[in-house]
Amino acid sequence: MTHADVIQVISEALKGQTGISALFLSGSYGCGLEDAYSDIDFLLVSEEGASDRVADLWRAAVEQTGEIVLWWDRKPVPVLINAITADWTRTDVVILKPDQLANHAQATLKPVFDPQKLYESLRPAAPSGAVDGARLLHQIQDFIRILGLLDLAVGREEYLNGVLGTLFLRNALVDLMIAETNAPNRGGILHLNRLITPEQKAILMAMPAAIPEREAMINAQLAYAAVYLPRARVWAAKHNVAWPERFEEVTWEKLSSSLGVTRPY
């Protein structure tokens, strides 16, 4: 069954059901950026919200598209149901009450059926997200904290845990780069190619691999620090977030005394 068929079958199963106000496509399909690998994200508007009855109606609709082999029912914040059918079609639905729809924008949704014309009441596009200063400071501090644990990983010869630390630093750098681009229609992490610039991608491609060996672990984490920390300083200054100078200073002092490394930037 094609994705177009899935959308049509689910639409026909839900259209006219009592209490179902509207069905929209969201995610990649909602903003016209879907490809052959996209999942199908829906937003379902129901007068009663994510009740057992509405969840049962949704499951019955999805079952018409194929055998359900994974069903995660009503995960919180927002209320979400994930499903995968036997042909590995992935469908997600967020279930909202009508008054919760106002947090969305027309640019991120595509009506499947909308008899009450709820779509017309939405703002055309969502405003650019403001940077949360407290969250940014926490991210920077967490990067420095994980970097500081390099001393522990080396001392205990915990090179497998060191790999996890390196991957944490990599993820922090990726998150920072995505924030720098302020890319619209972000979607999930599997859309990274459209969220970062060619320059950013080249930097990530050149970063050392996470290898569970002493020197490789040290060199990789220092390489990530050399890229992340200067960029994070610029980003923090741009958003009036005070840099944790003393924390970074003592962290480099600790790594210098225990491992003989020097600050790489």
Side-chain angles (χ1 to χ4, degrees), residues 186-209:
R186 294 192 177 190
I189 190 63
L190 296 180
H191 281 296
L192 183 59
N193 281 333
R194 78 178 187 216
L195 301 181
I196 60 176
T197 67
E199 177 264 342
Q200 291 172 327
K201 186 174 181 180
I203 291 172
L204 290 172
M205 293 289 288
M207 297 302 290

Side-chain angles (χ1 to χ4, degrees), residues 64-76:
Q64 293 186 37
T65 71
E67 177 194 0
I68 296 173
V69 294
L70 176 70
W71 182 262
W72 286 347
D73 195 341
R74 283 169 286 181
K75 295 162 63 178

Side-chain angles (χ1 to χ4, degrees), residues 170-184 186 189 191-208 223-224 227-228 230-232 234-235 238:
R170 180 179 182 83
N171 288 339
L173 176 59
V174 169
D175 288 344
L176 176 61
M177 287 180 167
I178 293 173
E180 289 172 340
T181 65
N182 195 28
R186 294 192 177 190
I189 190 63
H191 281 296
L192 183 59
N193 281 333
R194 78 178 187 216
L195 301 181
I196 60 176
T197 67
E199 177 264 342
Q200 291 172 327
K201 186 174 181 180
I203 291 172
L204 290 172
M205 293 289 288
M207 297 302 290
Y224 277 103
V227 175
Y228 177 91
R231 297 179 81 110
V234 171
W235 191 246
K238 180 178 180 179

